[in-house]
Amino acid sequence: MKKGTIAMRTIRLLAPSRLEMRETDERPAITDSTVRVDIKACGICGSDLALYNGRRDLSGEHYFGHEFSGVITEVGNGANGLKKGMRVASELVKGCGRCWFCRNGMQNYCKSLNDALLPGGFTEQTLVTNTDAYSFLSPIPDELDDITASILEPANCAYHVAMKANIQPGDSVLVIGLGAIGLVAAMILKTMGAGTVIGADRSKLRLEQVRKTGLLDVIDTSEPAWMEQVKEMTAKDGVDIVIEATGAPPVLKDAMAAARTGGKIVVPSVYFGGIDGFEPLPIMRKELTIIGSKGPAPQLKTDGTSAVVEKVVQMKDDLRKLISVYEYKDALQAFADARSGAAIKAVIQFS
Ligand SMILES: [Zn+2]
Ligand SMILES: [Zn+2]
């Protein structure tokens, strides 16, 4: 560690439910395999909340605060063309390219991720691993502001969901669970040619928030007749594609009921626990395809640039509607609002 001159504001999670806001002049020293990023904005992810709630083990976790935008201020060996002064945002861009997962289109499981250093973006400066075998930063264009750019990482996860859906033009889509991933996946699928796209949630607050954005037709799954509504909206056949993004295991049964015969269910949910009385028969009866979608994955165009950055630029005005911005001094409120659902995507701004 070396001493800097100006104090750096940080938010650390010391233990479940124990956030510490602290100014420090201790900065980790840059190495060959890292770049230093001055953080402009960092969003709060559901996985950050899982760490906060103690649902995930904090020890060995490297991803508290992984949804950030910023400016590169120092580079190690300069891999991946990253340069001082570049505006960047976080997303998984590159795995080693050699392991079984990378060779089979599953870079999100690449072994090089295990060694990656990602101390997190809830601090004014952070080091991010940047090597020939790993990259977690994409350059962003001027037309994307720092706040909107911070949604790149969850947009990458949502893009991964949309790709897993392998949508055909006009396919109907039901997204159950309108957190950021579900919502952004719905928005991306619309741009990819989906027909009817329906959002579903049981939280009145969330339904009202989404209605206000005007981005999506929504139905209330706390209403007993909601499944009938879905069938009405899709000519009684059921939906072609269900995105099950609630994280509540029993909802998988609803997803199977809502899907048409021959339908697909994509599951980005992080489930805890099981399903009482689960009856799997519809998997055979309806020839359902159930597809998992785990976290982010490199989504590069043939020219090597990020397809997700391009998509975020295309959708920037709509994505901005999902974001609530908090100054650093209000960081604890940001976490409270992320937990209560008062914010769809809470983003902490360092300015
Ligand atoms: Zn995340
Ligand atoms: Zn690999």
Side-chain angles (χ1 to χ4, degrees):
M1 308 285 264
K2 70 176 181 188
K3 292 274 180 187
T5 46
I6 305 163
M8 178 174 84
R9 295 171 298 174
T10 64
I11 305 157
R12 296 210 177 108
L13 185 62
L14 303 177
S17 306
R18 273 191 62 206
L19 286 169
E20 180 198 57
M21 295 174 68
R22 192 160 73 93
E23 297 198 10
T24 173
D25 58 3
E26 298 273 312
R27 288 168 172 76
I30 186 115
T31 63
D32 262 5
S33 58
T34 58
V35 297
R36 190 188 303 282
V37 178
D38 267 17
I39 301 292
K40 298 294 183 186
C42 185
I44 299 173
C45 174
S47 62
D48 295 325
L49 298 178
L51 291 168
Y52 180 92
N53 294 336
R55 283 175 116 183
R56 285 185 170 202
D57 187 6
L58 248 182
S59 58
E61 292 292 1
H62 295 293
Y63 54 78
F64 187 65
H66 54 265
E67 302 179 356
F68 56 83
S69 64
V71 177
I72 294 178
T73 54
E74 258 184 288
V75 291
N77 66 10
N80 303 307
L82 295 182
K83 293 189 175 63
K84 186 177 172 181
M86 264 184 180
R87 295 179 66 235
V88 290
S90 56
E91 69 164 334
L92 181 58
V93 184
K94 186 184 187 183
C96 75
R98 293 187 300 275
C99 71
W100 186 92
F101 298 110
C102 283
R103 284 185 284 110
N104 287 276
M106 298 180 74
Q107 293 98 321
N108 49 333
Y109 291 84
C110 175
K111 298 293 182 208
S112 70
L113 269 67
N114 298 337
D115 305 323
L117 173 76
L118 195 68
F122 294 129
T123 171
E124 279 187 290
Q125 289 188 359
T126 194
L127 295 182
V128 182
T129 299
N130 178 55
T131 68
D132 290 334
Y134 177 83
S135 174
F136 201 77
L137 294 172
S138 274
I140 52 170
D142 289 345
E143 59 196 300
L144 206 55
D145 65 80
D146 294 327
I147 297 295
T148 313
S150 73
I151 210 167
L152 178 67
E153 202 278 340
N156 178 302
C157 297
Y159 195 97
H160 189 49
V161 171
M163 294 303 282
K164 291 278 184 183
N166 189 22
I167 192 159
Q168 304 302 308
D171 273 356
S172 55
V173 177
L174 169 68
V175 178
I176 316 177
L178 300 179
I181 298 297
L183 276 169
V184 178
M187 292 158 66
I188 291 173
L189 284 165
K190 273 189 172 182
T191 70
M192 289 178 167
T196 304
V197 180
I198 309 164
D201 205 288
R202 59 188 292 180
S203 156
K204 303 257 188 264
L205 170 65
R206 183 50 46 93
L207 291 167
E208 193 47 41
Q209 290 165 327
V210 176
R211 270 191 207 105
K212 271 193 196 142
T213 67
L215 294 171
L216 202 59
D217 292 328
V218 291
I219 56 177
D220 182 348
T221 58
S222 70
E223 300 283 343
W226 76 273
M227 192 67 77
E228 291 311 309
Q229 264 178 284
V230 171
K231 297 272 163 82
E232 289 296 324
M233 292 167 85
T234 54
K236 300 206 188 303
D237 292 331
V239 284
D240 298 307
I241 294 164
V242 184
I243 311 294
E244 202 304 86
T246 64
V251 180
L252 188 58
K253 290 191 287 189
D254 296 330
M256 287 163 55
R260 67 165 302 135
T261 296
K264 279 180 280 195
I265 301 167
V266 184
V267 183
S269 279
V270 182
Y271 289 135
F272 294 89
I275 309 172
D276 287 338
F278 178 60
E279 291 178 13
L281 183 60
I283 297 172
M284 182 281 285
R285 278 263 190 262
K286 294 167 79 173
E287 292 201 348
L288 296 175
T289 305
I290 302 178
I291 308 161
S293 181
K294 179 184 168 294
Q299 306 283 355
L300 303 182
K301 298 188 292 176
T302 47
D303 67 359
T305 61
S306 165
V308 188
V309 170
E310 184 178 74
K311 191 57 81 179
V312 167
V313 169
Q314 181 191 344
M315 307 195 319
K316 63 183 162 64
D317 296 335
D318 288 340
L319 288 169
R320 186 65 182 78
K321 294 178 186 171
L322 308 181
I323 297 174
S324 302
V325 183
Y326 299 80
E327 296 297 325
Y328 171 77
K329 66 178 171 53
D330 300 321
L332 298 184
Q333 189 62 47
F335 274 86
D337 288 353
R339 282 164 53 223
S340 72
I344 296 176
K345 175 56 73 183
V347 170
I348 297 166
Q349 182 176 27
F350 289 91
S351 61

